[in-house]
Structure formats: structure tokens, C-alpha cells
Amino acid sequence: MAKVALVTGGTRGIGEAICNTLKNKGYKVVANYGGNDQKAQEFTERTGIPAVKFDVSDFEATQTAIQQIEVDFGPVEVLINNAGITRDGTMHRMSFDNWDAVIQTNLASCFNTCKAVIDGMRARNFGRIINVGSVNGQAGQYGQVNYAAAKSGIHGFTKALALEGAGKGITVNAIAPGYVDTDMVRAVPEDVLAKIIKTIPVGRLGKPEDIANAVAFLIDDESGFITGSTLSINGGQHMY
Ligand code: NDP
């Protein structure tokens, strides 16, 4: 039977590419999104993949929504924690709200979603969890204390949960994308982006599919010996 794969932030950008790639590989994919109903509707029309709205930074809402997803589609055997936001600003200008929103959405969300699926995965002796980190969580980035803290937190979270899942057939890995051509990166001013591209040895932004292919590899049944790892996918920009 097809495995259910839940992709948070699955309706746009990297998440959409992950959804499409997993669907093509035979997974029963469910996408989550946070607020943009129009983009979600267009996504479902385009892909035929259902999109479920809930705020991954809200613990209770996430428990309720994932319980309903399991009723509607079956147990979640693959979880891709991809939803993320940026609220950039240097430390002296950053508000507490922008700090907190990024920590809650990018890091606390991993606790919220994993909490909802971990008991089932343990009971079934199988699970695949991928947490989407970032090159900026590995290297740091000017104007991103919130984002870099959340993303580097993801890498620690991944290793700890990998240890806990290892005896139960649950693998937990992180990917650390470099700059990928999505709405998030298109929000960067053009002159800044041009400078960033000059620092990428392969000479281009990543494509969402570059990330999706790596996710598909890491969640494969045959990848059960890969756990607790962080796979950097950044065109050679940062070698960790
Ligand atoms: P996009 O901004 O293109 O899409 C973000 C997705 O996350 C949307 O589906 C959005 O839903 C969803 N989302 C945001 N907040 C919430 C929330 N509170 N609850 C549920 N869903 C939410 O992002 P990207 O595709 O660029 O990025 C995907 C991931 O990859 C992020 O974690 C990002 O940090 C990471 N990343 C991206 C890089 C890049 O260069 N693009 C580089 C390194 C890492 P909605 O449409 O409703 O807003």
C-alpha cells in the first residue's frame, strides 16, 4: 500500500517540488500550508494533491490536524518538515515578534509535527522524517539571528531524534539547502541576489527539484542506514 507522506509548507516552492516528486514515486502525498488559500487551491488543481491548512507553529492545531489527516488518508509514515519563513533584520532592529515567529514556525514546528506522528511510527516500527534546515543555519547569515538560530536548532533536533528512533526503524535526517529559486529567495533584493549567486561555485541558484530528489533518496526504504545526517545541497557554496 502507498505510504502517506505529509509535507508541511507543501503548496509552494521547495515543498511543492517535494510533493510532486514523492507523488511520482508512488507516495500518497498530503500537503500542508499556513495561510495562502489561493496558492493552495491552485496547487491542488495543478497537482491533484490535497492541501490541508494548519499553522505548524500552533501545537494544538497541529495535533488536531494531523490526527484528522491520519483518519482521512492513513497513518503518516513519512514526514517532511519543510514549512518555513524569514523575518530578516539585524539584531539591533529585530523585534521580539520577528524573533519569535521564526523560532516558532521554523523550529518549534518540528516538535509539534513530530509529536503528532512519533507514537504511530514507533508502534509500526517504521518512519521517515526529514527536517529542512539551511546553509544559513550552518554558516550563519547577516540579518538572520532568528533564522540561523532556528535552522541550526533543526540540525541538533535531527540528531537527537535520530538517536531515539534508531531502534524503532525511524530515520531522521536534515537537509541544508543553499539558495533555491523560490518566492522566499525572490524576496531578496536583486542586487543582493546577484552578489549571492557569484558565491555559488556551480554558478546558479538551486532548483526546487534539486532538493526534492535528495528528499526522495533519504526517505527510500533502502536508505534505512542513513540517519542523523545533514545533507548539504548548495552548489558548493559552503562545505561543512
Ligand atoms: P516558500 O516561502 O516558497 O513556501 C513556504 C511554504 O511554507 C508555503 O507553503 C507556506 O504556506 C508554508 N508555511 C509558512 N508558514 C507556515 C505555517 N506557520 N504553517 C504552515 N505552513 C506554513 O518557501 P521555500 O520553498 O523557499 O522554503 C521551504 C523551506 O526551505 C523553508 O523551511 C526554508 O526555510 C527552507 N530553505 C529555503 C531556501 C531557499 O533558498 N528558498 C534555502 C534554505 C532553506 P502559505 O503559502 O500558506 O504561506
mmCIF file of all heavy atoms in Angstrom, residues 64-111:
data_model
loop_
_atom_site.group_PDB
_atom_site.id
_atom_site.type_symbol
_atom_site.label_atom_id
_atom_site.label_comp_id
_atom_site.label_asym_id
_atom_site.label_seq_id
_atom_site.Cartn_x
_atom_site.Cartn_y
_atom_site.Cartn_z
ATOM 1 N N THR A 64 -4.377 18.319 16.241
ATOM 2 C CA THR A 64 -5.738 18.065 15.741
ATOM 3 C C THR A 64 -5.713 17.786 14.239
ATOM 4 O O THR A 64 -6.338 16.840 13.755
ATOM 5 C CB THR A 64 -6.630 19.303 16.023
ATOM 6 O OG1 THR A 64 -6.560 19.578 17.424
ATOM 7 C CG2 THR A 64 -8.068 19.058 15.623
ATOM 8 N N ALA A 65 -4.975 18.596 13.510
ATOM 9 C CA ALA A 65 -4.957 18.451 12.047
ATOM 10 C C ALA A 65 -4.309 17.134 11.626
ATOM 11 O O ALA A 65 -4.800 16.442 10.722
ATOM 12 C CB ALA A 65 -4.211 19.632 11.422
ATOM 13 N N ILE A 66 -3.223 16.764 12.275
ATOM 14 C CA ILE A 66 -2.538 15.527 11.856
ATOM 15 C C ILE A 66 -3.372 14.301 12.251
ATOM 16 O O ILE A 66 -3.434 13.324 11.493
ATOM 17 C CB ILE A 66 -1.084 15.484 12.380
ATOM 18 C CG1 ILE A 66 -0.276 16.600 11.685
ATOM 19 C CG2 ILE A 66 -0.452 14.105 12.133
ATOM 20 C CD1 ILE A 66 1.191 16.687 12.061
ATOM 21 N N GLN A 67 -4.053 14.383 13.385
ATOM 22 C CA GLN A 67 -4.978 13.266 13.728
ATOM 23 C C GLN A 67 -6.036 13.109 12.641
ATOM 24 O O GLN A 67 -6.359 11.999 12.222
ATOM 25 C CB GLN A 67 -5.669 13.542 15.063
ATOM 26 C CG GLN A 67 -4.825 13.154 16.270
ATOM 27 C CD GLN A 67 -5.320 13.814 17.567
ATOM 28 O OE1 GLN A 67 -6.467 14.240 17.668
ATOM 29 N NE2 GLN A 67 -4.435 13.908 18.532
ATOM 30 N N GLN A 68 -6.562 14.208 12.148
ATOM 31 C CA GLN A 68 -7.600 14.151 11.104
ATOM 32 C C GLN A 68 -7.005 13.644 9.780
ATOM 33 O O GLN A 68 -7.647 12.859 9.073
ATOM 34 C CB GLN A 68 -8.224 15.545 10.917
ATOM 35 C CG GLN A 68 -9.476 15.546 10.054
ATOM 36 C CD GLN A 68 -10.585 14.652 10.626
ATOM 37 O OE1 GLN A 68 -10.877 14.710 11.814
ATOM 38 N NE2 GLN A 68 -11.185 13.798 9.795
ATOM 39 N N ILE A 69 -5.794 14.068 9.475
ATOM 40 C CA ILE A 69 -5.128 13.582 8.249
ATOM 41 C C ILE A 69 -4.988 12.058 8.319
ATOM 42 O O ILE A 69 -5.211 11.345 7.337
ATOM 43 C CB ILE A 69 -3.745 14.272 8.083
ATOM 44 C CG1 ILE A 69 -3.951 15.725 7.631
ATOM 45 C CG2 ILE A 69 -2.842 13.508 7.098
ATOM 46 C CD1 ILE A 69 -2.697 16.586 7.698
ATOM 47 N N GLU A 70 -4.668 11.540 9.504
ATOM 48 C CA GLU A 70 -4.492 10.081 9.633
ATOM 49 C C GLU A 70 -5.841 9.359 9.485
ATOM 50 O O GLU A 70 -5.883 8.264 8.930
ATOM 51 C CB GLU A 70 -3.795 9.753 10.954
ATOM 52 C CG GLU A 70 -2.375 10.338 10.966
ATOM 53 C CD GLU A 70 -1.395 9.633 11.892
ATOM 54 O OE1 GLU A 70 -1.779 9.315 13.026
ATOM 55 O OE2 GLU A 70 -0.243 9.418 11.468
ATOM 56 N N VAL A 71 -6.902 9.989 9.934
ATOM 57 C CA VAL A 71 -8.246 9.414 9.736
ATOM 58 C C VAL A 71 -8.586 9.418 8.235
ATOM 59 O O VAL A 71 -9.067 8.434 7.680
ATOM 60 C CB VAL A 71 -9.312 10.215 10.533
ATOM 61 C CG1 VAL A 71 -10.723 9.792 10.132
ATOM 62 C CG2 VAL A 71 -9.096 10.040 12.030
ATOM 63 N N ASP A 72 -8.311 10.532 7.583
ATOM 64 C CA ASP A 72 -8.729 10.708 6.187
ATOM 65 C C ASP A 72 -7.854 9.946 5.187
ATOM 66 O O ASP A 72 -8.340 9.469 4.161
ATOM 67 C CB ASP A 72 -8.709 12.200 5.807
ATOM 68 C CG ASP A 72 -9.758 13.000 6.573
ATOM 69 O OD1 ASP A 72 -10.696 12.381 7.116
ATOM 70 O OD2 ASP A 72 -9.625 14.233 6.642
ATOM 71 N N PHE A 73 -6.556 9.872 5.470
ATOM 72 C CA PHE A 73 -5.641 9.330 4.454
ATOM 73 C C PHE A 73 -4.865 8.100 4.908
ATOM 74 O O PHE A 73 -4.301 7.359 4.098
ATOM 75 C CB PHE A 73 -4.634 10.414 4.012
ATOM 76 C CG PHE A 73 -5.294 11.638 3.453
ATOM 77 C CD1 PHE A 73 -5.501 12.768 4.229
ATOM 78 C CD2 PHE A 73 -5.741 11.665 2.134
ATOM 79 C CE1 PHE A 73 -6.131 13.902 3.732
ATOM 80 C CE2 PHE A 73 -6.364 12.785 1.607
ATOM 81 C CZ PHE A 73 -6.569 13.902 2.411
ATOM 82 N N GLY A 74 -4.772 7.896 6.214
ATOM 83 C CA GLY A 74 -3.988 6.768 6.733
ATOM 84 C C GLY A 74 -2.815 7.276 7.548
ATOM 85 O O GLY A 74 -2.541 8.485 7.583
ATOM 86 N N PRO A 75 -2.123 6.359 8.245
ATOM 87 C CA PRO A 75 -1.022 6.778 9.120
ATOM 88 C C PRO A 75 0.100 7.477 8.352
ATOM 89 O O PRO A 75 0.478 7.050 7.257
ATOM 90 C CB PRO A 75 -0.518 5.456 9.721
ATOM 91 C CG PRO A 75 -1.159 4.367 8.948
ATOM 92 C CD PRO A 75 -2.367 4.917 8.269
ATOM 93 N N VAL A 76 0.606 8.530 8.959
ATOM 94 C CA VAL A 76 1.713 9.267 8.323
ATOM 95 C C VAL A 76 3.005 8.492 8.572
ATOM 96 O O VAL A 76 3.460 8.379 9.714
ATOM 97 C CB VAL A 76 1.814 10.704 8.897
ATOM 98 C CG1 VAL A 76 3.052 11.417 8.359
ATOM 99 C CG2 VAL A 76 0.548 11.488 8.560
ATOM 100 N N GLU A 77 3.564 7.956 7.509
ATOM 101 C CA GLU A 77 4.813 7.190 7.637
ATOM 102 C C GLU A 77 6.029 8.019 7.231
ATOM 103 O O GLU A 77 7.163 7.684 7.579
ATOM 104 C CB GLU A 77 4.717 5.923 6.800
ATOM 105 C CG GLU A 77 3.639 4.989 7.340
ATOM 106 C CD GLU A 77 3.671 3.611 6.714
ATOM 107 O OE1 GLU A 77 3.048 3.443 5.662
ATOM 108 O OE2 GLU A 77 4.343 2.737 7.283
ATOM 109 N N VAL A 78 5.756 9.074 6.469
ATOM 110 C CA VAL A 78 6.832 9.966 6.025
ATOM 111 C C VAL A 78 6.415 11.392 6.378
ATOM 112 O O VAL A 78 5.318 11.820 6.025
ATOM 113 C CB VAL A 78 7.042 9.855 4.497
ATOM 114 C CG1 VAL A 78 8.089 10.852 4.025
ATOM 115 C CG2 VAL A 78 7.413 8.434 4.099
ATOM 116 N N LEU A 79 7.295 12.087 7.081
ATOM 117 C CA LEU A 79 7.013 13.478 7.468
ATOM 118 C C LEU A 79 8.150 14.358 6.969
ATOM 119 O O LEU A 79 9.315 14.122 7.310
ATOM 120 C CB LEU A 79 6.923 13.573 8.998
ATOM 121 C CG LEU A 79 6.867 14.993 9.572
ATOM 122 C CD1 LEU A 79 5.579 15.714 9.164
ATOM 123 C CD2 LEU A 79 6.996 14.949 11.105
ATOM 124 N N ILE A 80 7.784 15.356 6.176
ATOM 125 C CA ILE A 80 8.792 16.306 5.693
ATOM 126 C C ILE A 80 8.494 17.663 6.322
ATOM 127 O O ILE A 80 7.505 18.325 5.972
ATOM 128 C CB ILE A 80 8.756 16.442 4.139
ATOM 129 C CG1 ILE A 80 8.650 15.071 3.438
ATOM 130 C CG2 ILE A 80 9.973 17.233 3.664
ATOM 131 C CD1 ILE A 80 9.800 14.143 3.650
ATOM 132 N N ASN A 81 9.336 18.073 7.249
ATOM 133 C CA ASN A 81 9.168 19.366 7.924
ATOM 134 C C ASN A 81 9.837 20.446 7.082
ATOM 135 O O ASN A 81 11.019 20.740 7.232
ATOM 136 C CB ASN A 81 9.787 19.304 9.320
ATOM 137 C CG ASN A 81 8.908 18.582 10.294
ATOM 138 O OD1 ASN A 81 7.683 18.786 10.319
ATOM 139 N ND2 ASN A 81 9.499 17.703 11.100
ATOM 140 N N ASN A 82 9.035 21.028 6.192
ATOM 141 C CA ASN A 82 9.574 21.965 5.216
ATOM 142 C C ASN A 82 9.080 23.400 5.421
ATOM 143 O O ASN A 82 9.737 24.341 4.984
ATOM 144 C CB ASN A 82 9.184 21.467 3.808
ATOM 145 C CG ASN A 82 9.377 22.512 2.745
ATOM 146 O OD1 ASN A 82 10.504 22.765 2.325
ATOM 147 N ND2 ASN A 82 8.296 23.151 2.312
ATOM 148 N N ALA A 83 7.943 23.579 6.105
ATOM 149 C CA ALA A 83 7.380 24.938 6.241
ATOM 150 C C ALA A 83 8.402 25.858 6.902
ATOM 151 O O ALA A 83 9.065 25.471 7.864
ATOM 152 C CB ALA A 83 6.097 24.902 7.075
ATOM 153 N N GLY A 84 8.515 27.050 6.372
ATOM 154 C CA GLY A 84 9.465 27.989 6.970
ATOM 155 C C GLY A 84 9.201 29.397 6.490
ATOM 156 O O GLY A 84 8.591 29.618 5.447
ATOM 157 N N ILE A 85 9.647 30.343 7.300
ATOM 158 C CA ILE A 85 9.500 31.763 6.952
ATOM 159 C C ILE A 85 10.811 32.488 7.253
ATOM 160 O O ILE A 85 11.660 31.973 7.995
ATOM 161 C CB ILE A 85 8.363 32.444 7.751
ATOM 162 C CG1 ILE A 85 8.610 32.314 9.277
ATOM 163 C CG2 ILE A 85 7.012 31.864 7.370
ATOM 164 C CD1 ILE A 85 7.680 33.183 10.128
ATOM 165 N N THR A 86 10.936 33.668 6.682
ATOM 166 C CA THR A 86 12.022 34.572 7.082
ATOM 167 C C THR A 86 11.404 35.883 7.582
ATOM 168 O O THR A 86 10.351 36.311 7.088
ATOM 169 C CB THR A 86 12.973 34.910 5.905
ATOM 170 O OG1 THR A 86 12.191 35.323 4.787
ATOM 171 C CG2 THR A 86 13.834 33.729 5.522
ATOM 172 N N ARG A 87 12.031 36.474 8.567
ATOM 173 C CA ARG A 87 11.677 37.828 9.046
ATOM 174 C C ARG A 87 13.014 38.485 9.361
ATOM 175 O O ARG A 87 13.416 38.599 10.514
ATOM 176 C CB ARG A 87 10.822 37.762 10.325
ATOM 177 C CG ARG A 87 9.459 37.118 10.183
ATOM 178 C CD ARG A 87 8.446 38.034 9.474
ATOM 179 N NE ARG A 87 7.124 37.407 9.438
ATOM 180 C CZ ARG A 87 6.694 36.570 8.487
ATOM 181 N NH1 ARG A 87 7.479 36.263 7.470
ATOM 182 N NH2 ARG A 87 5.471 36.069 8.529
ATOM 183 N N ASP A 88 13.713 38.889 8.297
ATOM 184 C CA ASP A 88 15.108 39.311 8.455
ATOM 185 C C ASP A 88 15.242 40.702 9.086
ATOM 186 O O ASP A 88 14.382 41.562 8.919
ATOM 187 C CB ASP A 88 15.813 39.327 7.088
ATOM 188 C CG ASP A 88 15.946 37.936 6.474
ATOM 189 O OD1 ASP A 88 15.623 36.945 7.153
ATOM 190 O OD2 ASP A 88 16.382 37.846 5.310
ATOM 191 N N GLY A 89 16.362 40.903 9.729
ATOM 192 C CA GLY A 89 16.690 42.203 10.302
ATOM 193 C C GLY A 89 17.882 42.018 11.228
ATOM 194 O O GLY A 89 18.025 40.960 11.835
ATOM 195 N N THR A 90 18.717 43.032 11.303
ATOM 196 C CA THR A 90 19.854 42.915 12.217
ATOM 197 C C THR A 90 19.358 42.914 13.666
ATOM 198 O O THR A 90 18.262 43.395 13.952
ATOM 199 C CB THR A 90 20.826 44.088 12.014
ATOM 200 O OG1 THR A 90 20.065 45.290 12.041
ATOM 201 C CG2 THR A 90 21.576 43.962 10.694
ATOM 202 N N MET A 91 20.183 42.382 14.532
ATOM 203 C CA MET A 91 19.799 42.222 15.947
ATOM 204 C C MET A 91 19.252 43.521 16.541
ATOM 205 O O MET A 91 18.228 43.520 17.227
ATOM 206 C CB MET A 91 21.035 41.759 16.728
ATOM 207 C CG MET A 91 20.809 41.514 18.183
ATOM 208 S SD MET A 91 19.794 40.028 18.400
ATOM 209 C CE MET A 91 19.435 40.158 20.123
ATOM 210 N N HIS A 92 19.945 44.647 16.275
ATOM 211 C CA HIS A 92 19.527 45.889 16.938
ATOM 212 C C HIS A 92 18.190 46.400 16.404
ATOM 213 O O HIS A 92 17.562 47.253 17.022
ATOM 214 C CB HIS A 92 20.628 46.961 16.870
ATOM 215 C CG HIS A 92 21.020 47.373 15.492
ATOM 216 N ND1 HIS A 92 21.771 46.588 14.658
ATOM 217 C CD2 HIS A 92 20.757 48.507 14.789
ATOM 218 C CE1 HIS A 92 21.961 47.224 13.509
ATOM 219 N NE2 HIS A 92 21.360 48.369 13.566
ATOM 220 N N ARG A 93 17.752 45.867 15.257
ATOM 221 C CA ARG A 93 16.455 46.309 14.725
ATOM 222 C C ARG A 93 15.370 45.244 14.868
ATOM 223 O O ARG A 93 14.196 45.530 14.678
ATOM 224 C CB ARG A 93 16.605 46.616 13.225
ATOM 225 C CG ARG A 93 17.476 47.810 12.937
ATOM 226 C CD ARG A 93 17.040 48.473 11.621
ATOM 227 N NE ARG A 93 17.711 49.736 11.448
ATOM 228 C CZ ARG A 93 18.634 49.957 10.524
ATOM 229 N NH1 ARG A 93 18.976 48.998 9.689
ATOM 230 N NH2 ARG A 93 19.195 51.130 10.429
ATOM 231 N N MET A 94 15.748 44.018 15.171
ATOM 232 C CA MET A 94 14.763 42.925 15.148
ATOM 233 C C MET A 94 13.810 43.018 16.356
ATOM 234 O O MET A 94 14.264 43.130 17.495
ATOM 235 C CB MET A 94 15.477 41.566 15.141
ATOM 236 C CG MET A 94 14.506 40.401 14.967
ATOM 237 S SD MET A 94 15.365 38.820 14.869
ATOM 238 C CE MET A 94 16.176 38.961 13.287
ATOM 239 N N SER A 95 12.522 42.905 16.058
ATOM 240 C CA SER A 95 11.541 42.916 17.153
ATOM 241 C C SER A 95 11.462 41.520 17.769
ATOM 242 O O SER A 95 11.819 40.517 17.126
ATOM 243 C CB SER A 95 10.161 43.297 16.605
ATOM 244 O OG SER A 95 9.718 42.300 15.700
ATOM 245 N N PHE A 96 10.958 41.463 18.995
ATOM 246 C CA PHE A 96 10.751 40.152 19.614
ATOM 247 C C PHE A 96 9.785 39.327 18.768
ATOM 248 O O PHE A 96 9.977 38.112 18.588
ATOM 249 C CB PHE A 96 10.190 40.285 21.044
ATOM 250 C CG PHE A 96 9.849 38.941 21.626
ATOM 251 C CD1 PHE A 96 10.843 38.099 22.103
ATOM 252 C CD2 PHE A 96 8.529 38.482 21.621
ATOM 253 C CE1 PHE A 96 10.531 36.828 22.592
ATOM 254 C CE2 PHE A 96 8.214 37.211 22.116
ATOM 255 C CZ PHE A 96 9.223 36.391 22.599
ATOM 256 N N ASP A 97 8.767 39.979 18.208
ATOM 257 C CA ASP A 97 7.775 39.237 17.412
ATOM 258 C C ASP A 97 8.417 38.546 16.211
ATOM 259 O O ASP A 97 8.055 37.422 15.871
ATOM 260 C CB ASP A 97 6.665 40.184 16.923
ATOM 261 C CG ASP A 97 5.710 40.543 18.049
ATOM 262 O OD1 ASP A 97 5.819 39.948 19.145
ATOM 263 O OD2 ASP A 97 4.856 41.426 17.833
ATOM 264 N N ASN A 98 9.374 39.226 15.579
ATOM 265 C CA ASN A 98 10.023 38.613 14.413
ATOM 266 C C ASN A 98 10.996 37.504 14.820
ATOM 267 O O ASN A 98 11.227 36.549 14.077
ATOM 268 C CB ASN A 98 10.737 39.671 13.565
ATOM 269 C CG ASN A 98 9.752 40.452 12.719
ATOM 270 O OD1 ASN A 98 8.579 40.067 12.611
ATOM 271 N ND2 ASN A 98 10.205 41.540 12.129
ATOM 272 N N TRP A 99 11.594 37.648 15.976
ATOM 273 C CA TRP A 99 12.405 36.556 16.530
ATOM 274 C C TRP A 99 11.499 35.338 16.780
ATOM 275 O O TRP A 99 11.737 34.235 16.323
ATOM 276 C CB TRP A 99 13.064 37.016 17.837
ATOM 277 C CG TRP A 99 13.519 35.903 18.725
ATOM 278 C CD1 TRP A 99 12.864 35.401 19.817
ATOM 279 C CD2 TRP A 99 14.717 35.126 18.590
ATOM 280 N NE1 TRP A 99 13.595 34.367 20.366
ATOM 281 C CE2 TRP A 99 14.724 34.173 19.640
ATOM 282 C CE3 TRP A 99 15.782 35.138 17.690
ATOM 283 C CZ2 TRP A 99 15.746 33.245 19.805
ATOM 284 C CZ3 TRP A 99 16.809 34.211 17.861
ATOM 285 C CH2 TRP A 99 16.787 33.287 18.903
ATOM 286 N N ASP A 100 10.420 35.609 17.510
ATOM 287 C CA ASP A 100 9.557 34.523 17.977
ATOM 288 C C ASP A 100 8.843 33.823 16.816
ATOM 289 O O ASP A 100 8.735 32.584 16.803
ATOM 290 C CB ASP A 100 8.531 35.121 18.949
ATOM 291 C CG ASP A 100 7.857 34.055 19.780
ATOM 292 O OD1 ASP A 100 8.573 33.168 20.282
ATOM 293 O OD2 ASP A 100 6.630 34.106 19.925
ATOM 294 N N ALA A 101 8.384 34.590 15.842
ATOM 295 C CA ALA A 101 7.652 33.983 14.719
ATOM 296 C C ALA A 101 8.537 32.977 13.984
ATOM 297 O O ALA A 101 8.088 31.883 13.607
ATOM 298 C CB ALA A 101 7.182 35.067 13.753
ATOM 299 N N VAL A 102 9.802 33.340 13.794
ATOM 300 C CA VAL A 102 10.706 32.451 13.045
ATOM 301 C C VAL A 102 11.077 31.224 13.879
ATOM 302 O O VAL A 102 11.107 30.099 13.366
ATOM 303 C CB VAL A 102 11.949 33.235 12.563
ATOM 304 C CG1 VAL A 102 13.018 32.299 12.026
ATOM 305 C CG2 VAL A 102 11.529 34.233 11.494
ATOM 306 N N ILE A 103 11.308 31.430 15.175
ATOM 307 C CA ILE A 103 11.629 30.273 16.034
ATOM 308 C C ILE A 103 10.429 29.323 16.096
ATOM 309 O O ILE A 103 10.577 28.092 15.986
ATOM 310 C CB ILE A 103 12.032 30.736 17.458
ATOM 311 C CG1 ILE A 103 13.314 31.576 17.428
ATOM 312 C CG2 ILE A 103 12.174 29.533 18.397
ATOM 313 C CD1 ILE A 103 14.570 30.857 16.996
ATOM 314 N N GLN A 104 9.248 29.877 16.246
ATOM 315 C CA GLN A 104 8.049 29.025 16.356
ATOM 316 C C GLN A 104 7.738 28.320 15.044
ATOM 317 O O GLN A 104 7.420 27.124 15.030
ATOM 318 C CB GLN A 104 6.825 29.869 16.782
ATOM 319 C CG GLN A 104 6.927 30.475 18.169
ATOM 320 C CD GLN A 104 7.142 29.437 19.266
ATOM 321 O OE1 GLN A 104 6.592 28.339 19.212
ATOM 322 N NE2 GLN A 104 7.970 29.757 20.234
ATOM 323 N N THR A 105 7.836 29.035 13.944
ATOM 324 C CA THR A 105 7.431 28.454 12.651
ATOM 325 C C THR A 105 8.495 27.506 12.105
ATOM 326 O O THR A 105 8.178 26.463 11.520
ATOM 327 C CB THR A 105 7.175 29.582 11.619
ATOM 328 O OG1 THR A 105 6.217 30.480 12.166
ATOM 329 C CG2 THR A 105 6.664 29.023 10.300
ATOM 330 N N ASN A 106 9.758 27.848 12.288
ATOM 331 C CA ASN A 106 10.817 27.051 11.660
ATOM 332 C C ASN A 106 11.360 25.952 12.572
ATOM 333 O O ASN A 106 11.843 24.936 12.070
ATOM 334 C CB ASN A 106 11.985 27.952 11.240
ATOM 335 C CG ASN A 106 11.597 28.949 10.154
ATOM 336 O OD1 ASN A 106 10.416 29.115 9.852
ATOM 337 N ND2 ASN A 106 12.573 29.614 9.574
ATOM 338 N N LEU A 107 11.305 26.156 13.883
ATOM 339 C CA LEU A 107 11.909 25.162 14.794
ATOM 340 C C LEU A 107 10.862 24.470 15.682
ATOM 341 O O LEU A 107 10.762 23.236 15.671
ATOM 342 C CB LEU A 107 12.982 25.823 15.665
ATOM 343 C CG LEU A 107 13.679 24.902 16.681
ATOM 344 C CD1 LEU A 107 14.364 23.727 15.992
ATOM 345 C CD2 LEU A 107 14.696 25.687 17.517
ATOM 346 N N ALA A 108 10.073 25.244 16.395
ATOM 347 C CA ALA A 108 9.083 24.615 17.291
ATOM 348 C C ALA A 108 8.120 23.757 16.479
ATOM 349 O O ALA A 108 7.609 22.748 16.975
ATOM 350 C CB ALA A 108 8.324 25.690 18.080
ATOM 351 N N SER A 109 7.893 24.119 15.246
ATOM 352 C CA SER A 109 7.013 23.331 14.363
ATOM 353 C C SER A 109 7.488 21.887 14.240
ATOM 354 O O SER A 109 6.670 20.968 14.120
ATOM 355 C CB SER A 109 6.972 23.972 12.978
ATOM 356 O OG SER A 109 8.279 23.984 12.426
ATOM 357 N N CYS A 110 8.800 21.681 14.276
ATOM 358 C CA CYS A 110 9.324 20.308 14.142
ATOM 359 C C CYS A 110 8.903 19.474 15.349
ATOM 360 O O CYS A 110 8.547 18.297 15.216
ATOM 361 C CB CYS A 110 10.845 20.315 14.016
ATOM 362 S SG CYS A 110 11.403 21.071 12.496
ATOM 363 N N PHE A 111 8.940 20.087 16.529
ATOM 364 C CA PHE A 111 8.435 19.396 17.718
ATOM 365 C C PHE A 111 6.946 19.098 17.547
ATOM 366 O O PHE A 111 6.488 17.968 17.792
ATOM 367 C CB PHE A 111 8.668 20.245 18.975
ATOM 368 C CG PHE A 111 8.079 19.618 20.213
ATOM 369 C CD1 PHE A 111 8.771 18.633 20.901
ATOM 370 C CD2 PHE A 111 6.817 19.989 20.671
ATOM 371 C CE1 PHE A 111 8.222 18.034 22.030
ATOM 372 C CE2 PHE A 111 6.259 19.388 21.798
ATOM 373 C CZ PHE A 111 6.968 18.400 22.476
#
